[in-house]
């Protein structure tokens, strides 16, 4: 049998995108994924509660923005359009333990004026501080994120130079930076922060509208991708974890399987293990953890789909009742704690003992029935200043060997959008490397 034109290793969003794009262009594609399910870091599992009801749990709450065009196109390609929610208009309710609330809600004016009413009315900051927010936002919009010098500076330092007080950083800038970069402004690259703010909030008024999955991610990205890939002709091999990649006799050998081209769509440590003679791919990217605390109440306590918080360890809390399939009449909340290096190593009980009372202080009224914790130690790479230079593009110096993954040089932070963009770039590089594009072959 003829070897595949390309073997994609890794079935997260980057690998799924690469494999689909190559197959849609007519290549023979094999996709190998170590786990029994596709989806990578965007996955789910079934949790049996003490009363024997089951809920579907995402290992981490995921959110996207309307400007995540590559990710949204993938969801559409998978047939999942009706399974995601997308706000008609950016609207983030923010709550403080004192009971003060605010909303980051876009107006109807064109960008960046669409944010002015929200910033002017942001009651979690004194008026003098609110006036300074607009000036910093306008200056942020003028930066060039592609300039390597911008990547060497911390966003926190830049904010302070632009008149932002520690209070403004904590009450507003970090609300967005921690959620989108998985890192506070003080430890984030200005280039990555500018990318997120420019694309998401400062250029197009509707770009920052938020979206999320209305079903478990394991279904949206795992089950639907498996079907779409098979329908596109991709041979999907689950539970297959090649351990060594070797180039001889003019072809790549993956644990004995021969293939013309290989796309490694795995995290950097796995890529480096597979090609030990090559590289330091991403070796200097450090990891940033995310902890999710899952709380099931006997009755609804959240009045909206989600809330952001200020001065609370809760950070962001989402109503996952519908997506999880909980049918008890109660409510299931996922509390998403980003940049959680101090929390990740603590016992689950200690984490719950801190977070559950903090949730009750913000949203009183329910009796907690079940609580558990999920932790992702390497949820994303840490977007520290200077990381840009350690992110490789899709081509390697080895012929026929390509890279994909949210950690590669997408210009985006470690996000679903970055992963899908990396998959599109890797597929484009593979296709450019294919001497006679298979799509021109006449079917027999
Ligand atoms: C808790 C959490 C919350 C997050 N929140 C958000 C969010 O709100 N918004 C957002 O946009 N992003 C979020 N992210 C980030 C997002 O999940 C990732 O950026 C994206 O899923 C990365 O996709 P990927 O395909 O590049 O990598 P991965 O998903 O890591 O896929 C790599 C795949 O390779 C497989 N693999 C590894 N080694 C081998 C091998 N030797 N052989 C075969 N297969 C192998 C792995 O099993 C995995 O399936 C979050 C991540 C986490 C963990």
């Amino acid at each position: 049998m003829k070897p595949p034109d390309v073997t994609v290793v890794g079935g997260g969003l980057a690998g799924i995108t690469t494999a689909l794009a190559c197959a849609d262009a007519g290549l023979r594609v094999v996709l190998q994924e170590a786990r029994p399910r596709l989806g990578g870091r965007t996955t789910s599992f079934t949790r049996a509660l003490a009363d024997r009801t089951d809920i579907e749990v995402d290992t981490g709450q995921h959110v996207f923005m309307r400007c995540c065009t590559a990710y949204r196109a993938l969801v559409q390609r998978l047939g999942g359009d009706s399974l995601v929610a997308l706000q008609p208009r950016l609207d983030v309710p923010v709550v403080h333990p004192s009971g003060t609330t605010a909303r980051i809600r876009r107006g109807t004016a064109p960008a960046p004026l669409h944010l002015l009413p929200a910033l002017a009315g942001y009651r979690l900051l004194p008026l003098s501080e609110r006036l300074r927010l607009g000036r910093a936002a306008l200056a942020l919009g003028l930066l060039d994120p592609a300039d390597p010098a911008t990547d060497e500076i911390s966003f926190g330092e830049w904010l302070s130079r632009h008149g932002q007080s520690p209070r403004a950083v904590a009450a507003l800038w970090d609300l967005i930076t921690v959620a989108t970069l998985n890192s506070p402004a003080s430890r984030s690259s200005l280039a990555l922060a500018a990318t997120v703010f420019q694309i998401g909030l400062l250029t197009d008024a509707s770009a920052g509208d938020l979206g999320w999955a209305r079903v478990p991610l394991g279904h949206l990205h795992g089950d639907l991708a498996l079907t779409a890939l098979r329908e596109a002709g991709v041979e999907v091999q689950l539970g297959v974890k090649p351990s060594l990649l070797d180039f001889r006799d003019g072809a790549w050998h993956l644990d004995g399987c021969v293939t013309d081209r290989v796309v490694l769509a795995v995290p950097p440590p796995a890529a480096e293990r597979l090609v030990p003679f090559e590289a330091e791919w991403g070796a200097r990217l450090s990891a940033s953890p995310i902890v999710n605390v899952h709380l099931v109440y006997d009755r609804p306590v959240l009045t909206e789909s989600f809330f952001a918080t200020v001065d609370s360890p809760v950070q962001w809390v989402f109503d996952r009742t519908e997506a999880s399939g909980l049918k008890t009449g109660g409510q299931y909340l996922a509390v998403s704690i980003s940049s959680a290096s101090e929390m990740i190593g603590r016992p689950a009980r200690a984490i719950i003992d801190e977070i559950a009372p903090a949730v009750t202080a913000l949203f009183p009224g329910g009796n907690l029935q079940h609580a558990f914790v999920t932790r992702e130690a390497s949820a994303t790479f840490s977007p520290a200043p200077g990381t840009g230079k350690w992110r490789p593009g899709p081509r390697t110096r080895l012929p026929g060997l390509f890279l994909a993954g949210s950690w590669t040089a997408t210009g985006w932070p470690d996000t679903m959008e970055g992963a899908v963009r990396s998959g599109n770039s890797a597929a484009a590089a593979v296709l450019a490397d294919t001497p006679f594009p298979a799509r021109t072959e006449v079917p027999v």
Side-chain angles (χ1 to χ4, degrees):
M1 211 173 64
K2 249 191 125 202
D5 296 307
V6 56
T7 298
V8 179
V9 184
L13 291 174
I16 291 167
T17 307
T18 312
L20 265 179
C22 289
D24 285 348
L27 300 189
R28 281 182 309 277
V29 184
V30 169
L31 173 63
Q32 297 184 329
E33 164 55 46
R35 295 191 198 154
R37 196 175 199 184
L38 296 173
R41 273 173 272 167
T42 61
T43 194
S44 323
F45 61 93
T46 304
R47 171 92 183 191
L49 304 180
D51 60 5
R52 297 203 188 154
T53 53
D54 283 349
I55 55 171
E56 288 298 307
V57 175
D58 288 350
T59 49
Q61 172 67 41
H62 280 65
V63 171
F64 60 93
M65 295 189 282
R66 192 184 289 278
C67 61
C68 294
T69 48
Y71 169 71
R72 289 175 55 219
L74 175 69
V75 169
Q76 190 174 36
R77 172 71 179 78
L78 301 182
D81 248 2
S82 62
L83 304 180
V84 293
L86 185 56
Q87 293 183 319
R89 177 171 169 186
L90 173 72
D91 187 6
V92 180
V94 188
V95 57
H96 186 272
S98 65
T100 310
T101 57
R103 294 196 95 88
I104 303 174
R105 184 164 197 244
R106 75 169 159 98
T108 48
L113 302 177
H114 66 306
L115 290 176
L116 278 186
L119 297 183
Y122 194 65
R123 292 192 297 158
L124 294 167
L125 282 175
L127 189 59
S128 57
E129 303 249 13
R130 290 182 223 164
L131 296 176
R132 280 200 286 271
L133 293 173
R135 276 206 297 273
L138 289 177
L140 194 55
L142 297 175
L143 286 172
D144 176 9
D147 177 354
T150 316
D151 188 49
E152 298 295 332
I153 303 167
S154 103
F155 184 37
E157 189 187 320
W158 184 92
L159 285 171
S160 148
R161 284 211 309 259
H162 285 76
Q164 302 304 294
S165 67
R167 179 66 200 150
V169 173
L172 187 81
W173 296 102
D174 269 352
L175 199 72
I176 300 163
T177 312
V178 171
T180 53
L181 295 180
N182 194 17
S183 172
S186 58
R187 297 204 299 267
S188 297
S189 140
L190 174 58
L192 285 171
T195 299
V196 167
F197 279 92
Q198 286 182 3
I199 299 177
L201 292 170
L202 299 171
T203 315
D204 174 344
S206 67
D209 304 343
L210 294 181
W212 57 90
R214 293 175 44 236
V215 295
L217 290 171
H219 177 60
L220 183 64
H221 300 156
D223 304 341
L224 294 193
L226 184 61
T227 304
L229 286 161
R230 286 186 170 151
E231 282 174 3
V234 176
E235 182 185 333
V236 181
Q237 301 175 351
L238 297 174
V240 171
K241 188 177 180 183
S243 54
L244 196 66
L245 185 58
D246 187 22
F247 189 74
R248 63 192 135 82
D249 307 327
W252 287 99
H253 297 251
L254 260 169
D255 283 357
C257 297
V258 181
T259 182
D260 288 348
R261 292 167 200 82
V262 177
V263 178
L264 296 180
V266 297
E272 288 167 9
R273 271 195 301 277
L274 277 158
V275 195
F277 52 86
E278 175 63 10
E280 281 222 321
W281 289 318
R284 303 196 193 189
L285 295 175
S286 56
S288 184
I290 297 180
V291 169
N292 272 230
V293 183
H294 307 265
L295 304 170
V296 181
Y297 292 89
D298 63 343
R299 71 194 78 162
V301 291
L302 228 60
T303 49
E304 305 198 33
S305 303
F306 66 91
F307 280 88
T309 76
V310 168
D311 291 343
S312 162
V314 170
Q315 292 191 7
W316 288 68
V317 55
F318 298 83
D319 178 3
R320 297 297 300 167
T321 312
E322 180 200 351
S324 70
L326 182 74
K327 297 268 188 302
T328 59
Q331 195 173 45
Y332 159 34
L333 306 184
V335 177
S336 180
I337 300 152
S338 298
S339 191
S341 32
E342 275 111 60
M343 187 172 273
I344 186 105
R346 286 162 54 193
R349 191 68 257 166
I351 295 174
I352 292 165
D353 285 349
E354 177 180 357
I355 297 301
V359 170
T360 304
L362 295 165
F363 311 102
N367 294 311
L368 185 61
Q369 295 188 309
H370 310 279
F372 56 96
V373 173
T374 51
R375 310 154 201 260
E376 295 286 334
S378 300
T380 68
F381 68 79
S382 164
T387 44
K389 57 181 171 292
W390 307 117
R391 299 176 71 186
R395 292 180 178 280
T396 69
R397 64 178 187 88
L398 303 168
L401 181 62
F402 303 87
L403 298 173
S406 53
W407 59 280
T408 59
T410 64
W412 280 69
D414 194 333
T415 51
M416 300 190 289
E417 175 71 6
V420 175
R421 280 174 181 251
S422 80
N424 286 331
S425 301
V430 168
L431 291 169
D433 189 55
T434 308
F436 304 103
R439 61 174 166 275
T440 62
E441 284 174 8
V442 181
V444 285

